[in-house]
Amino acid sequence: MIDPIFGWIEAERRRQEEGLELIASENYASPAVLAALGSVLTNKYAEGLPGRRYYGGCEYVDEVERIAQERLKTLFGAEWVNVQPHSGAQANEAVLLALLKPGQKILSFELAHGGHLTHGSPLNSSGRLYNVRHYGVRSDTYLLDYDQIHEKAREFRPAVLMAGASSYPRDWDWTALRSIADEVGAILVADIAHPAGLIAAGLLNNPLPHCHIVTSTTHKTLRGPRGGIIMMGKDFDNPFGELTPKGTPKKMSALLDTAVFPGVQGGPHMHVIAAKAVAFGEALQPAFREYSRQVIRNAQALADSLKERGYTILTGGTDNHIVLVDLRNKNITGREAEKVLEKAGITVNKNLIPYDPQPPLIASGIRLGTPALTTRGMNESDMRQIAAWIDEALTSASDETHLKRLKDTIREYLRAYPLPYAPAAPTPLTHDFASAG
Ligand code: DSN
């Protein structure tokens, strides 16, 4: 008997293959990344760091982690990295644990304007443990207002200034943020979870030379396994006076390493670290730069084609992989649009637009992203076709037959763009759970 879990994995593989994946934070990892993820490295405990573990038998996983570290340093120009965070959330949690005592101040980008949950939302530990205020985008342009950030920083005097977004379609000015942080004595932390791959490819401003600490996920534009990382362009003496046993100031890297383990995590996931190393190796290839260029070109083509069809694109376009659509002039909410598009085989997520009159579970907009479809080999002409289908679906929102027909058309179209995905090998069960009752 085959474990039914493999049936569900196959069903999910087929869903990924047969639909248009436009969720901006998703991508298709390569077969090599998947092979590393599904490897025997998952069996190994390796608490600690390469050469300094709390377990025996770590000589091979040490090599894997060292390679991951070196590749990541080369990719972003980092002097120090930690590749162990299980996710972006854990990376941010560890950074805040290393930098702050409960009650200290963070100034970060407002979640409802496109920020991240782990940058001080009251629902996240960051918002419960620390004293948080936010900056946002302008109500006329929907662009970040660096004068407002400056003003808020001067008034609030945060210990940490956090930057980075989950739905902001424009690049960031790291130099301006660093000068604000320096003026108020704050540590500048950038979370590049979304644009990391585009930054690694040299297509967007790199925060490493400007920000004290940079966190990211590895599974979005970077196209690796689900996971997190922490980096520093340059290590520095911790500003809190913590000393080593020799009486010299502890380096920030030491505080960050201990914040990851044992601060917020136990044993590192060595199979994921191996998969990260594989993905970093792929991102160092010239083909990744070309892929990343196409991600941006595709997002711009999608934005332009939707604009031609009367859709409001926030900020007028995009510098990265994200297109934010304000649906208010189309008389459909984000929640309805998400559902209708799903019926047509187009996967997106509803998204708050800044100053949204709707609550988060309804939202006035949708967020679209091009990393996944670009991995399948799509280009600008495909994006024009997709914009037409999005419009067709949203204008036939209540016509179930039409939406079903559209889904069939899309499934056929996608046959020309196979997934770089190795099917999971089903494992026969020795015990028949179903008939054992
Ligand atoms: N949940 C992630 C996203 O979809 O953008 C935030 O990193």
Side-chain angles (χ1 to χ4, degrees), residues 72-80 206 208-209 231-234:
L72 183 58
K73 285 180 192 170
T74 311
L75 204 48
F76 287 94
E79 180 178 290
W80 171 90
N206 187 349
L208 266 291
M231 306 181 272
M232 281 191 287
K234 209 160 176 35

Side-chain angles (χ1 to χ4, degrees), residues 83-99:
V83 295
Q84 294 190 355
H86 299 329
S87 69
Q90 263 69 61
N92 288 336
E93 191 185 0
V95 167
L96 295 177
L97 183 73
L99 293 176

Side-chain angles (χ1 to χ4, degrees), residues 58-374:
C58 287
E59 61 270 38
Y60 304 124
V61 293
D62 273 2
E63 290 309 314
V64 167
E65 186 162 350
R66 282 198 189 100
I67 293 171
Q69 290 171 338
E70 288 315 309
R71 288 181 182 172
L72 183 58
K73 285 180 192 170
T74 311
L75 204 48
F76 287 94
E79 180 178 290
W80 171 90
V81 299
N82 186 305
V83 295
Q84 294 190 355
H86 299 329
S87 69
Q90 263 69 61
N92 288 336
E93 191 185 0
V95 167
L96 295 177
L97 183 73
L99 293 176
L100 299 171
K101 300 270 179 277
Q104 280 193 287
K105 297 178 191 171
I106 302 173
L107 179 64
S108 65
F109 189 29
E110 170 75 55
L111 179 63
H113 287 204
H116 280 286
L117 193 66
T118 54
H119 294 195
S121 154
L123 301 172
N124 181 257
S125 65
S126 54
R128 293 174 66 168
L129 292 174
Y130 310 110
N131 176 4
V132 184
R133 277 202 209 159
H134 297 296
Y135 55 88
V137 295
R138 291 173 58 110
S139 57
D140 51 352
T141 58
Y142 297 109
L143 294 172
L144 281 167
D145 179 348
Y146 290 90
D147 291 335
Q148 184 208 91
I149 301 174
H150 189 192
E151 220 169 274
K152 290 202 169 184
R154 284 216 296 221
E155 186 197 314
F156 187 50
R157 315 294 300 185
V160 170
L161 175 59
M162 280 188 101
S166 67
S167 53
Y168 185 64
R170 298 294 176 180
D171 204 355
W172 288 71
D173 184 345
W174 306 116
T175 319
L177 289 172
R178 179 59 187 256
S179 98
I180 295 170
D182 283 348
E183 185 185 324
V184 301
I187 299 286
L188 178 58
V189 178
D191 178 340
I192 57 167
H194 264 271
L198 309 177
I199 293 169
L203 304 173
L204 294 175
N205 297 329
N206 187 349
L208 266 291
H210 308 287
C211 299
H212 295 92
I213 301 171
V214 176
T215 64
S216 183
T217 55
T218 48
H219 49 274
K220 299 184 177 96
T221 49
L222 204 45
R223 208 165 55 177
R226 192 160 291 280
I229 46 178
I230 308 175
M231 306 181 272
M232 281 191 287
K234 209 160 176 35
D235 200 359
F236 55 99
D237 290 347
N238 83 86
F240 321 108
E242 290 207 32
L243 301 178
T244 64
K246 287 187 187 149
T248 53
K250 255 195 192 165
K251 287 287 185 193
M252 202 58 231
S253 53
L255 291 190
L256 288 168
D257 279 334
T258 46
V260 174
F261 168 83
V264 302
Q265 292 185 182
H269 295 179
M270 295 314 302
H271 57 308
V272 181
I273 290 173
K276 286 174 183 172
V278 172
F280 301 153
E282 290 174 355
L284 284 165
Q285 305 304 314
F288 188 78
R289 191 178 158 86
E290 194 33 54
Y291 158 73
S292 303
R293 272 190 203 289
Q294 193 60 48
V295 167
I296 297 177
R297 282 192 216 116
N298 283 351
Q300 291 171 344
L302 187 59
D304 289 345
S305 307
L306 286 167
K307 262 199 286 187
E308 283 163 17
R309 290 169 190 280
Y311 288 84
T312 307
I313 304 300
L314 288 194
T315 79
T318 180
D319 295 331
N320 56 31
H321 59 298
I322 292 174
V323 178
L324 281 176
V325 189
D326 177 352
L327 291 168
R328 284 176 298 176
N329 66 334
K330 296 286 180 181
N331 291 321
I332 187 165
T333 65
R335 179 168 73 176
E336 286 158 354
E338 181 188 296
K339 277 198 191 134
V340 167
L341 291 171
E342 191 164 8
K343 286 184 192 164
I346 304 172
T347 316
V348 307
N349 66 277
K350 60 181 157 299
N351 212 86
L352 286 177
I353 56 167
Y355 308 99
D356 204 320
Q358 299 284 6
L361 281 174
I362 298 179
S364 297
I366 49 173
R367 182 185 68 165
L368 311 176
T370 52
L373 293 181
T374 309

